[in-house]
Amino acid sequence: DRDDIVDITDFDVVAWIKSEMRMMLNEELARAILIGDGRLVSDDAKISEEHIRPIVSDAPLFTIKVTVAQGDDDEKTAKNFMKAAVRARKDYKGSGNPTLYTTEEQLTNMLLLEDGIGHPMYKSEAEVATALRVSNIVTVPVMEGFKNASNQDLMGIIVNLKDYNVGADKGGEVNMFDDFNIDYNQFVYLIETRCSGALIKPYSAIALFKAASSSTTTT
């Protein structure tokens, strides 16, 4: 509302709104890149997975799919996850040292692992990252509850996003538009972009899924 813009004098509320919109756009793109935007195909706002190809479901040539055996408890499953992630690194051909994108629950389970006499195996996230052979660990809330086409829970994605290329034609870059609705005395703002993205290096990502029941780890 124009009244709000006039009344708020402590800071530039329009600049704040535009900054918030850009952050939300970045989050939307990041989600689409990792696991897809989560919308139904019939949704008008659906981000086409042919244009922004999700890492989690990309072709085996680009994303190595790993099934992690489900243990009797969270501790055993966390150990299986770490072993599967390290073993899968032999097939990884991506750039440099990648990042693990995972859930808070999965990270917590790894941090709570103990040795045979009850001492914590890892004192920090950095030690867990070192054990997993990744540069760092990033928790992603939208990965909570995500399942693949086989109804397996996603446990983590290991990738260096330098291997994921995002581009736009001239005119498709991020643009901000604004207008004034005289009938409602309101300013209207729109931010949009038109881009595409995909992994560009073979075997540059690893997606780890929890098996529906106890099974051997496969790649």
Side-chain angles (χ1 to χ4, degrees):
D1 293 333
R2 184 175 183 279
D3 284 346
D4 293 333
I5 295 175
V6 173
D7 290 340
I8 299 174
T9 58
D10 295 337
F11 64 100
D12 189 337
V13 67
V14 174
W16 176 81
I17 288 174
K18 290 181 177 181
S19 175
E20 183 79 1
M21 292 172 69
R22 179 57 190 264
M23 183 181 72
M24 293 173 69
L25 176 64
N26 290 344
E27 288 181 353
E28 189 80 15
L29 285 172
R31 173 174 178 153
I33 287 168
L34 283 175
I35 62 173
D37 69 345
R39 298 184 180 91
L40 296 174
V41 176
S42 58
D43 194 320
D44 290 339
K46 173 70 177 176
I47 298 175
S48 171
E49 295 185 359
E50 292 298 316
H51 300 159
I52 299 289
R53 297 181 66 177
I55 294 171
V56 71
S57 58
D58 210 341
L61 176 63
F62 295 98
T63 300
I64 302 163
K65 309 297 195 307
V66 178
T67 300
V68 179
Q70 187 172 169
D72 298 330
D73 52 31
D74 290 340
E75 181 179 0
K76 181 61 176 176
T77 302
K79 287 181 178 179
N80 290 344
F81 171 82
M82 297 186 72
K83 289 178 181 178
V86 173
R87 288 193 179 110
R89 280 297 304 273
K90 70 181 186 298
D91 299 317
Y92 174 78
K93 307 299 181 185
S95 301
N97 209 12
T99 296
L100 168 63
Y101 297 90
T102 188
T103 64
E104 283 287 352
E105 180 183 9
Q106 184 60 35
L107 176 57
T108 299
N109 289 338
M110 291 186 288
L111 286 170
L112 290 176
L113 289 175
E114 297 177 346
D115 60 19
I117 56 176
H119 293 160
M121 294 178 64
Y122 308 105
K123 297 178 181 178
S124 65
E125 291 182 22
E127 290 190 3
V128 177
T130 299
L132 288 167
R133 296 181 63 197
V134 296
S135 59
N136 64 318
I137 300 173
V138 177
T139 55
V140 183
V142 295
M143 286 176 59
E144 299 278 357
F146 180 88
K147 297 178 183 292
N148 64 5
S150 301
N151 205 36
Q152 296 175 322
D153 291 317
L154 176 63
M155 301 182 76
I157 297 173
I158 297 174
V159 66
N160 185 335
L161 288 178
K162 289 182 179 178
D163 295 326
Y164 194 98
N165 194 34
V166 178
D169 292 333
K170 185 177 180 180
E173 64 274 6
V174 176
N175 287 291
M176 176 72 73
F177 303 93
D178 58 72
D179 199 1
F180 181 71
N181 188 327
I182 195 170
D183 293 328
Y184 294 94
N185 199 32
Q186 289 180 333
F187 285 94
V188 182
Y189 302 97
L190 168 69
I191 188 171
E192 70 168 18
T193 184
R194 185 173 182 269
C195 58
S196 59
L199 288 168
I200 57 174
K201 185 175 289 188
Y203 308 112
S204 57
I206 303 169
L208 298 110
F209 300 92
K210 184 191 297 183
S213 59
S214 182
S215 63
T216 56
T217 301
T218 58
T219 59

